[in-house]
């Protein structure tokens, strides 16, 4: 029997609370669902238990929970999480480490690099440093650049993210960047995505521009910033 390839995924959180998950978790779950289990032996490291770990466990994935790996940045806990990730990599000896999300991306890539993992991959689904200011932005950006030198492949989910990575010199070798859009579940009800007649449903005059916001309501998605932007556009029209 051919020896299976050991593949380790690392993501910061399996849930944001209860059944709440985001694009990175959905993407990773779909990825694991469609991997050939006869060829790959799959491991998943996450900072908590949740929908992602529950569903992957049903697929035969070995889940490893590292409770110190949580947001926001906390140097002591982050160092403990790094040491634990490094130890798990040392024990399991994966052939591939594939990280997702900012904190797991940094800790996981550095740990994998220091354990001489043959192939290190990171999927970018939004950089963290543009969302903070001042010294935090400088430190976060340096962290991304440091980790960006440790991976063999940097996957961006859009061309815009790729351009942003190149502009900020996240990696010194642009050839390692690939653009691969997120997949989707075959069971999506495409009928629910049909064009909505907003003018009829909300009594909006024809020809008016409509701006929308689709995201979970939490700090990362910053819905208040969206409302401030709408207010700015509204007030500027008055002048």
């Amino acid at each position: 029997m051919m020896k299976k390839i050991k593949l380790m995924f690392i993501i910061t959180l399996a849930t944001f609370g209860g059944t709440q998950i985001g694009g990175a978790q959905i993407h990773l779950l779909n990825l694991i669902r469609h991997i050939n289990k006869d060829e790959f032996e799959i491991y998943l490291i996450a900072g908590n238990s949740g929908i992602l770990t529950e569903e992957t466990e049903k697929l035969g994935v070995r889940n490893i929970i590292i409770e110190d790996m949580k947001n926001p940045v906390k140097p002591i806990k982050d160092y403990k999480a790094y040491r634990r990730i490094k130890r798990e990599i040392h024990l399991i000896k994966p052939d591939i480490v594939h990280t997702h999300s900012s904190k797991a991306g940094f800790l996981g890539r550095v740990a994998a690099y220091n354990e001489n993992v043959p192939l290190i991959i990171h999927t970018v689904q939004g950089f963290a440093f543009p969302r903070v200011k001042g010294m935090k932005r400088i430190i976060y950006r340096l962290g991304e650049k440091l980790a960006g030198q440790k991976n063999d492949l940097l996957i961006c989910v859009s061309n815009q993210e790729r351009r942003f990575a190149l502009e900020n010199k996240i990696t010194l070798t642009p050839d390692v960047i690939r653009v691969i859009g997120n997949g989707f579940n075959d069971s999506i009800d495409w009928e629910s995505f049909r064009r909505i007649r907003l003018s009829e449903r909300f009594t909006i005059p024809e020809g008016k521009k409509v701006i929308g916001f689709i995201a979970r309501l939490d700090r990362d998605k910053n819905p208040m910033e969206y409302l401030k932007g709408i207010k700015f556009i509204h007030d500027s029209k008055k002048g």
Side-chain angles (χ1 to χ4, degrees):
M1 178 182 287
M2 186 176 66
K3 183 181 177 182
K4 289 186 178 182
I5 298 169
K6 291 183 179 181
L7 169 57
M8 177 183 284
F9 291 107
I10 308 177
I11 191 168
T12 307
L13 297 173
T15 176
F16 296 103
T19 60
Q20 192 179 45
I21 59 175
Q25 289 80 17
I26 294 170
H27 164 72
L28 183 50
L29 179 55
N30 284 332
L31 190 60
I32 291 174
R33 277 175 174 157
H34 292 88
I35 287 176
N36 188 336
K37 309 302 187 297
D38 293 329
E39 295 183 13
F40 292 89
E41 182 179 323
I42 305 172
Y43 300 81
L44 171 62
I45 292 179
N48 59 10
S49 300
I51 294 295
L52 177 61
T53 52
E54 291 168 8
E55 292 300 316
T56 54
E57 189 172 341
K58 295 175 187 176
L59 298 170
V61 174
R62 178 185 162 190
N63 292 312
I64 301 164
I65 308 302
I66 299 179
E67 294 184 354
D68 285 318
M69 186 168 62
K70 286 187 174 68
N71 293 319
V73 172
K74 293 184 177 179
I76 294 176
K77 285 185 175 291
D78 293 343
Y79 180 68
K80 288 180 179 179
Y82 163 76
R83 296 290 297 175
R84 177 72 190 284
I85 293 170
K86 189 172 183 294
R87 187 177 73 183
E88 294 296 339
I89 292 174
H90 181 78
L91 292 173
I92 294 168
K93 293 181 171 50
D95 301 290
I96 305 170
V97 165
H98 187 173
T99 61
H100 299 257
S101 64
S102 297
K103 176 170 285 192
F106 176 79
L107 299 177
R109 279 181 284 176
V110 174
Y113 181 84
N114 289 334
E115 284 296 324
N116 299 310
V117 173
L119 180 61
I120 303 172
I121 304 170
H122 177 63
T123 292
V124 179
Q125 288 170 314
F127 291 103
F129 64 86
R131 301 197 295 268
V132 295
K133 298 178 180 179
M135 186 56 66
K136 270 190 176 181
R137 175 174 289 190
I138 294 172
I139 294 172
Y140 283 19
R141 184 170 176 268
L142 286 174
E144 285 287 359
K145 292 180 72 172
L146 173 64
Q149 314 313 315
K150 310 299 183 186
N151 49 243
D152 301 288
L153 184 63
L154 190 70
I155 298 175
C156 295
V157 298
S158 69
N159 286 310
Q160 181 178 348
E161 288 290 356
R162 181 181 185 276
R163 286 194 297 270
F164 192 76
L166 291 172
E167 289 168 3
N168 286 273
K169 296 180 173 59
I170 297 303
T171 174
L172 299 178
T173 51
D175 290 344
V176 306
I177 304 177
R178 296 289 185 276
V179 177
I180 304 175
N182 283 345
F184 58 85
N185 194 309
D186 293 338
S187 64
I188 286 178
D189 178 14
W190 292 107
E191 181 62 20
S192 65
F193 286 87
R194 69 186 184 282
R195 184 177 179 83
I196 300 173
R197 297 290 297 174
L198 294 174
S199 58
E200 298 172 3
R201 189 171 174 182
F202 298 106
T203 322
I204 300 172
E206 287 287 349
K208 288 286 186 180
K209 290 184 172 62
V210 178
I211 302 174
F213 176 83
I214 302 175
R216 65 180 188 274
L217 298 178
D218 67 16
R219 180 180 293 181
D220 284 350
K221 300 306 177 184
N222 202 352
M224 294 307 297
E225 190 70 20
Y226 164 74
L227 293 176
K228 289 176 184 176
I230 294 298
K231 184 178 185 304
F232 174 80
I233 293 172
H234 178 269
D235 292 347
S236 65
K237 292 293 183 182
K238 291 181 179 179

